[in-house]
Amino acid sequence: MKTAEIKRRFLAYFEGNGHAVVPSAPLPAIDDPNLLFINAGMVQFVPYFLGQRTPPYPRAASVQKCLRTPDIDEVGRTSRHGTFFQMNGNFSFGDYFKEGAIPLAWNLVTRPVSDGGFGMDPERIWVTVYLDDEAADIWQRTGVPARRIVRRGNKDNFWSMGIPGPAGPCSELFYDRGPAYGSDGGPDVDEDRFLEFWNLVFMEYEITNVQSKEVFEIVGGLPQKNIDTGMGLERIASILQGVDNLYEIDEVRPILDRAAQLTGKRYGAGSGPAASESHPDDVRLRVIADHVRTALMLIGDGVTPSNEGRGYVLRRITRRAIRAVRLLGWQERALPELLPVARDCMAPSYPELAADFERISSYAYAEEDAFLATLRAGTTILDTAITETKSAGGRQLSGDKAFQLHDTYGFPIDLTLEIAGEQGLAVDQDGFRRLMAQQRSRAKADAQARKTGHVDMSAYRGVLDSGGPVEFTGYAEVARESTVRALLGAGGAVLPAASEGDVVELVLDSTPFYAEGGGQQPDTGLLTVGAGQVEIFDVQSPVPGLIVHSARVVRGELRAGETAYAEIDIPRRRAISRSHTATHLVHQTMRNFLGESATQAGSLNAPGRLRFDFNTPGAVSPSVLHDIEQQVNEVLLRDLEVSAFLTTQDEARRLGAMALFGEKYGDEVRVVEVGDYARELCGGTHVTRSAQLGMVKILSESSIGSGVRRVEALVGIDAFDFLAREHLLVARLAELYRVPADQVVDRVQQTVTQLRDAEKELEKLRGQLVLGGAATLAEQARDVRGVAYVGTQAPEGTAGNEVRTLAQEIRAKIDPSRPAAVAVVARANGKASMVVAVNAAGKSRGLSAAELVKGALHGRGGGNAELAQGGGLPAAEAPSLLAAVEQAIAASA
C-alpha cells in the first residue's frame, strides 16, 4: 500500500467517524518559543488542550508534517532515526477518552483492506499501557488478550512534548514482524521484531520542570480530558509495504537508489542484518535520502538556508547530504540529480511541492553551490595549516584548527581527517571533540534556559480564563470606554491598583489598541480614568485572545474594575496603516516582476517607513527596483478602495489571497484587498483608499541572508521629505560642479575615478619609498651575538602588505649564509603592528619569527618560523617592540 494511500485511508476513516479533517500546519513552529519546528502531530492543537482557545470542533484528524533534529548525528546509523516524518493523528477535545480512542484505533488497523482498513493480522498486534488497569481492561474488551498487553512506566508510556505543556499516560501498538527479526516475547524482549507504530496519548495533565522523559512535575489536570494519538506514517508504511525500515518505503527508497546509482554503490551489499552492522556506504546513502527529502519539505514550507535558527538546521541538513554524496565519490553537483526524485516521491501527498518546485530548487541548488565554494576555501585554509604543521615538525593537526575549520568555515571534520591523512598527519580528535562538547554544552544550557514553556504564561492565562478573550475594536474606532479587567506587576503578580510613576501591564475588556503582530508595530496612546492618566507605550498578545497593554501611570491612580477611556495616538496609527498597506502593494508588485517565488519572509510596518523581506535567489537590479517602485505609485494614483472581510481558509485560497509561509491561520481568516490589485490574509490595520499613501519611495535593496533580500522604503510625508532633501543635495552639487543637475552623476563618477587613481599612484610611490631603503637598512644590520638584526620603523600609515614586503626585502639583501632576523614596526590609527622575518640560517640557529612576535606582543600574533606578524598595541609602544625582539634574539643566542 502506497504511503499516500495510507494517508488517504487514515483521514477518510476518521472523517467517517465524525472527525474534522485539519490540514497539516507548516513545519516552522510559530506560536511556541520552545520549538523551532513542529515535532509532534498535536502541536497545532496545544491551545485547545490547555484551554487557551475554544476548539471549533470536538474531534479532529490530521496528517502533520514533523521534524526532529536532536538525534541528527544518528540518522543513517540505525534504521529508525530520521529527521522529517509524518504523523497520522486523531484528537478529541473533551469529547471521547480512552473508551473511545482504543476501539477506533483497533478497528482501523484490523479492518480488511477491501473495507477501507489496513488489514493487519490482529494476532500479531501487541499493546503497552501505563501502570493503570483502565486502559488494559478496555483493550481486553476490544479483543486483545491479556498476554499481549504489557505495562510500562514513565520512560515508555507517559507522553509529553519534552517541554512544559500538556501530557498524559499513553498506550502503544506494536506489530510482530516475525522470527526473522528477533526473539519472541513482546516489546519488552525485542523492539526490532515488535515494532511500535501507534501511540494513543490520554492527555489529562499539565507538566513543568521537565528534566527528562522520566523526571518532570505535574502542575495539575487540564481543563478537560483529551485524546492525542500519533501513528508514524513512515513506520506504518514500512509494515504495510513489507520492507525493513523507513528508508525502503516508496517515499524514500527512490532517492536512496538514485544516490547509489550516481556513486556506483550497491545498497546493502556490505552490511550485516543488524543496524549496528551497517557499512559506512549504506549509512551515507541513508543520510542522503533522509536529508534531501527533509530539505525539500523545509524549503517547501518557506524555510531558507541561513546561519541561525530554522535556516541553520536546513543548511546543516543540506550540507550533510552533499558531504555524504562527495564522500561516496560523486564530485559533481548532486542536488539537481536528487531533489527532483524527492519531489516525485512526495508530490502524491503534497502536490504543492511540484507546483512550487522552481522556487524550492533555486534555494537548494544555490545552497549547494555555496557549500562547494566553502569546501574549496576550507581546503585552502586546511592546506596552509598542514604546511605550517609539517614545517614546524609536527605530526598532528591541532584540535583548535580542526574545530575552527568546522565551526567558522563549515568544513566537515571527516574531510579534515581524510585530507590530513593523505598528507601523513593525524588530527587531534580528542581536542576537537572537547571543543565540540563545550559548544554543545553552551547550546544546551541556552536551550534549557529558554524552556520556560507555557508556565510563564500562567498569569496571562488566568486573566484570559476569568474574563474570556479581549475584543479588539480598532478596525472601526480609535477610542472607546472600557473596563480595566486586570493589572499585572513584575513576574505576573496581580495588583489591585497602581499609583503615579508605576509601570504595569493592564488588560481591558475591549480595546482599540492594536497589539504588535504581522510586522505591524503596536499602537500607543492614553488611558483616562477619572482625574488620572495612564500612558500606553506598548501592546502585545502573549496568549491568543488576550491583549496586554504596557502602561505607565502619569497622574493619579489606576484600579482594577474601574471604567477608563482608551484613546490611541491617531497620527501614529494612520502612519503605520499607510506603511502596512504599502507593504501589501510592494509584496504583490515584487511577485509581478520576480515571479511567485518572491514571497514575504518578514516585514516591519512603522510610522512613515516599511521594511520588507522576501525570498529570492539573487539581487534585484536597480532598473527592476525602479519599475517596481513606479508600478506601486501608479496603483496609488488609481485611488483603489482598500477593504477587509472575513471568510474561510478554503474560500480565501479560491480567491487567490496570499498567505505567508510559516504563519498559522484559524478556520476563519481576514482578507485585505486593495482593489483588484492585491489580496492577502492579514490581521493588521490599513488605509481606506490607496491614494491616502501619497507616495512610496524605495530607499535600498540588500541581502540579509542566503536567498533572502530586504527592501526598505518610506511612505507618505516621509517619502516627500526624503525627496526634498535629495533635491537640495543634487542642486548644491550641480552648483559646485557648475553643470546641469542631470550631469551631476557623471561628474561625481569622474571625481571618484580621479581620486582612486591618485590613491593608487600615492600607494605606489609610498611603496617605492619604503622599499628603496631596504638595501641600506640591510647594510646597517647590527650583530647580536652572531645574528644580523635589523629593527626599523616604517613610515606612519604604511599598509600592512608593504610592511611585510619591506621585512622580506631587507632579509633577502642580507648574506644568506649569515643568521638574520628583521623586525619592522608600523603605526596606523593609533595602533602599532609588527612583522618579523627570519632567514634559513637563522632558523637553523633556533630562531622563530612566530616566537619573536608573540614574545614582543605578549602572546599576540601568529605565523611560522620564517615570517610572522601581529599588532594591536598602542602606537607609542612601537620602539619598545624592536627592543623586545633584540633582547629575545640575544637571549636565544
Side-chain angles (χ1 to χ4, degrees):
M1 188 181 295
K2 296 290 187 182
T3 304
E5 173 62 14
I6 297 172
K7 173 182 176 182
R8 188 199 66 76
R9 283 175 180 250
F10 181 88
L11 294 176
Y13 171 79
F14 280 102
E15 187 175 28
N17 281 277
H19 292 67
V21 173
V22 180
S24 172
L27 279 167
I30 298 302
D31 291 341
D32 196 322
N34 301 290
L35 296 175
L36 281 178
F37 301 103
I38 287 182
N39 64 354
M42 51 77 71
V43 170
Q44 67 168 316
F45 301 114
V46 167
Y48 304 151
F49 290 136
L50 289 173
Q52 294 173 349
R53 293 182 184 174
T54 301
Y57 25 67
R59 50 178 72 180
S62 70
V63 178
Q64 175 62 52
K65 295 176 283 188
C66 302
L67 184 68
R68 293 180 185 168
T69 59
D71 298 323
I72 189 172
D73 292 325
E74 294 302 314
V75 171
R77 299 182 186 278
T78 74
S79 58
R80 295 183 182 181
H81 287 91
T83 49
F84 170 79
F85 62 98
Q86 300 155 90
M87 190 61 72
N88 298 341
N90 61 287
F91 308 91
S92 165
F93 311 111
D95 185 15
Y96 60 83
F97 201 49
K98 296 177 185 178
E99 68 283 349
I102 288 173
L104 280 170
W106 181 258
N107 292 337
L108 173 61
V109 299
T110 60
R111 177 179 290 183
V113 172
S114 59
D115 197 22
F118 293 149
M120 299 173 73
D121 182 356
E123 297 299 318
R124 299 176 72 174
I125 297 176
W126 289 60
V127 299
T128 62
V129 297
Y130 192 60
L131 303 174
D132 71 307
D133 294 329
E134 184 182 6
D137 292 342
I138 298 172
W139 277 116
Q140 288 188 64
R141 293 198 301 271
T142 304
V144 181
R147 65 181 179 82
R148 295 209 307 272
I149 301 174
V150 180
R151 286 173 168 81
R152 287 177 164 180
N154 283 358
K155 180 179 180 181
D156 298 297
N157 278 72
F158 194 95
W159 190 92
S160 73
M161 293 187 294
I163 59 176
C170 63
S171 179
E172 297 176 318
L173 283 74
F174 291 77
Y175 183 75
D176 181 0
R177 298 196 291 172
Y181 289 90
S183 303
D184 199 358
D188 277 352
V189 175
D190 192 330
E191 286 199 13
D192 281 328
R193 171 173 173 171
F194 297 88
L195 188 66
E196 184 263 317
F197 65 91
W198 202 348
N199 189 6
L200 313 181
V201 181
F202 310 123
M203 194 80 69
E204 54 183 318
Y205 302 115
E206 183 174 359
I207 63 172
T208 186
N209 194 24
V210 182
Q211 304 298 315
S212 67
K213 292 191 69 172
E214 298 180 78
V215 181
F216 50 82
E217 178 184 345
I218 295 179
V219 179
L222 294 173
Q224 58 192 10
K225 292 183 177 182
N226 309 296
I227 287 295
D228 156 34
T229 83
M231 171 194 278
L233 184 54
E234 287 77 9
R235 188 73 62 87
I236 190 67
S238 69
I239 294 173
L240 296 181
Q241 293 174 18
V243 298
D244 286 347
N245 54 62
L246 67 91
Y247 297 101
E248 298 179 11
I249 68 171
D250 61 308
E251 287 188 346
V252 183
R253 183 60 188 258
I255 312 170
L256 188 152
D257 287 342
R258 180 56 179 150
Q261 181 184 29
L262 285 177
T263 58
K265 306 297 181 181
R266 188 161 66 89
Y267 181 66
S271 295
S276 59
E277 299 173 352
S278 294
H279 189 278
D281 288 351
D282 287 350
V283 172
R284 287 167 182 154
L285 287 170
R286 292 177 191 145
V287 168
I288 294 164
D290 174 89
H291 287 7
V292 168
R293 185 172 80 133
T294 301
L296 171 80
M297 302 307 296
L298 279 174
I299 302 174
D301 270 1
V303 181
T304 55
S306 70
N307 286 327
E308 58 185 10
R310 302 179 182 101
Y312 177 73
V313 173
L314 171 60
R315 170 159 288 168
R316 184 183 179 199
I317 285 171
T318 305
R319 293 186 172 192
R320 286 188 92 234
I322 297 166
R323 179 186 68 194
V325 175
R326 293 176 70 82
L327 289 174
L328 288 174
W330 179 261
Q331 302 302 314
E332 305 299 322
R333 296 173 81 213
L335 291 184
E337 302 290 337
L338 299 171
L339 201 67
V341 180
R343 172 202 60 200
D344 295 342
C345 289
M346 300 305 296
S349 291
Y350 304 99
E352 64 270 17
L353 295 173
D356 200 23
F357 190 69
E358 181 180 355
R359 180 190 66 84
I360 295 170
S361 60
S362 66
Y363 284 108
Y365 300 164
E367 179 62 16
E368 179 169 26
D369 291 340
F371 183 46
L372 296 181
T374 294
L375 289 178
R376 288 190 291 270
T379 302
T380 301
I381 295 167
L382 178 57
D383 288 344
T384 301
I386 289 172
T387 300
E388 292 176 354
T389 302
K390 295 174 74 173
S391 298
R395 295 185 177 182
Q396 179 175 264
L397 193 70
S398 72
D400 289 353
K401 180 58 71 174
F403 179 75
Q404 179 192 24
L405 281 163
H406 171 85
D407 191 55
T408 304
Y409 300 100
F411 200 77
I413 182 61
D414 45 11
L415 281 184
T416 298
L417 292 169
E418 181 180 333
I419 295 172
E422 292 173 354
Q423 297 295 321
L425 290 180
V427 177
D428 178 12
Q429 295 188 59
D430 290 339
F432 173 81
R433 292 192 190 100
R434 183 179 64 255
L435 291 169
M436 285 295 293
Q438 291 173 1
Q439 185 188 61
R440 289 194 187 102
S441 295
R442 289 191 297 270
K444 185 176 181 180
D446 179 65
Q448 187 64 36
R450 292 168 50 233
K451 283 190 177 183
T452 54
H454 303 279
V455 177
D456 279 348
M457 302 291 106
S458 58
Y460 299 126
R461 286 210 312 273
V463 175
L464 182 64
D465 292 343
S466 63
V470 175
E471 180 188 7
F472 173 63
T473 64
Y475 293 134
E477 61 187 12
V478 294
R480 76 174 287 110
E481 194 173 81
S482 187
T483 300
V484 180
R485 181 189 296 177
L487 294 174
L488 300 175
V494 178
L495 304 175
S499 302
E500 186 172 319
D502 289 348
V503 175
V504 296
E505 291 184 322
L506 63 89
V507 178
L508 304 173
D509 61 353
S510 59
T511 179
F513 284 84
Y514 181 84
E516 183 175 4
Q520 180 170 329
Q521 288 192 341
D523 283 327
T524 61
L526 293 174
L527 196 68
T528 304
V529 185
Q533 193 173 68
V534 179
E535 175 194 0
I536 305 296
F537 58 86
D538 190 18
V539 188
Q540 299 292 325
S541 180
V543 174
L546 193 70
I547 298 175
V548 179
H549 309 71
S550 295
R552 182 181 296 104
V553 181
V554 178
R555 184 174 65 247
E557 188 178 62
L558 179 67
R559 288 186 172 276
E562 287 186 315
T563 300
Y565 187 72
E567 184 177 10
I568 69 171
D569 181 336
I570 297 174
R572 173 183 166 86
R573 159 71 78 82
R574 287 175 176 168
I576 292 174
S577 297
R578 287 193 291 268
S579 295
H580 203 154
T581 304
T583 297
H584 282 218
L585 295 177
V586 170
H587 188 187
Q588 180 61 57
T589 310
M590 284 286 183
R591 291 164 68 93
N592 293 347
F593 279 87
L594 304 179
E596 296 297 305
S597 64
T599 52
Q600 183 172 330
S603 66
L604 171 68
N605 305 302
R609 62 188 178 89
L610 67 87
R611 188 179 69 213
F612 178 74
D613 301 338
F614 58 102
N615 298 310
T616 192
V620 181
S621 69
S623 61
V624 172
L625 208 61
H626 173 269
D627 291 342
I628 290 170
E629 178 184 273
Q630 182 170 333
Q631 187 169 111
V632 168
N633 283 294
E634 287 173 356
V635 172
L636 307 191
L637 291 175
R638 288 165 59 186
D639 195 24
L640 300 176
E641 180 183 5
V642 180
S643 59
F645 60 91
L646 297 176
T647 186
T648 64
Q649 276 203 54
D650 291 341
E651 178 63 14
R653 291 193 188 97
R654 190 190 67 78
L655 293 172
M658 285 190 290
L660 304 186
F661 278 124
E663 290 289 354
K664 193 165 65 177
Y665 301 96
D667 291 329
E668 186 177 64
V669 295
R670 183 171 183 261
V671 178
V672 174
E673 292 181 325
V674 183
D676 58 354
Y677 186 79
R679 182 179 292 114
E680 192 168 322
L681 303 189
C682 179
T685 64
H686 291 269
V687 299
T688 58
R689 303 196 69 85
S690 64
Q692 292 171 351
L693 271 61
M695 173 182 288
V696 174
K697 176 59 186 174
I698 295 178
L699 300 179
S700 63
E701 188 271 352
S702 60
S703 171
I704 60 169
S706 178
V708 183
R709 310 291 296 184
R710 169 171 292 173
V711 159
E712 298 195 52
L714 297 176
V715 184
I717 194 65
D718 292 81
F720 283 110
D721 288 344
F722 172 81
L723 291 176
R725 291 193 300 271
E726 291 282 292
H727 173 73
L728 290 175
L729 176 61
V730 171
R732 178 59 177 154
L733 288 172
E735 181 182 347
L736 291 172
Y737 278 112
R738 300 180 185 277
V739 296
D742 60 359
Q743 296 180 20
V744 166
V745 173
D746 292 337
R747 291 301 303 271
V748 170
Q749 286 180 337
Q750 291 176 10
T751 303
V752 171
T753 300
Q754 291 169 358
L755 286 172
R756 287 176 178 168
D757 291 343
E759 287 174 356
K760 290 178 182 179
E761 186 64 26
L762 183 60
E763 185 176 345
K764 180 179 177 182
L765 292 172
R766 187 187 297 117
Q768 292 173 350
L769 177 64
V770 170
L771 297 178
T776 302
L777 290 169
E779 293 173 357
Q780 297 173 354
R782 298 178 57 195
D783 185 277
V784 180
R785 296 204 174 189
V787 175
Y789 172 61
V790 175
T792 186
Q793 290 192 49
E796 185 165 355
T798 303
N801 62 326
E802 294 173 352
V803 175
R804 287 192 299 274
T805 303
L806 176 59
Q808 292 170 307
E809 282 286 321
I810 297 172
R811 181 182 61 182
K813 294 185 181 302
I814 297 175
D815 184 353
S817 63
R818 185 182 179 190
V822 178
V824 181
V825 297
R827 292 172 297 173
N829 301 319
K831 298 292 183 180
S833 62
M834 179 172 66
V835 175
V836 173
V838 173
N839 65 5
K843 279 179 56 182
S844 301
R845 182 74 174 269
L847 295 177
S848 167
E851 292 179 5
L852 291 173
V853 165
K854 289 181 179 179
L857 294 170
H858 312 298
R860 302 182 185 182
N864 54 40
E866 297 178 349
L867 187 67
Q869 65 185 40
L873 296 183
E877 296 188 25
S880 65
L881 298 180
L882 298 175
V885 172
E886 183 173 351
Q887 291 170 6
I889 294 171
S892 64

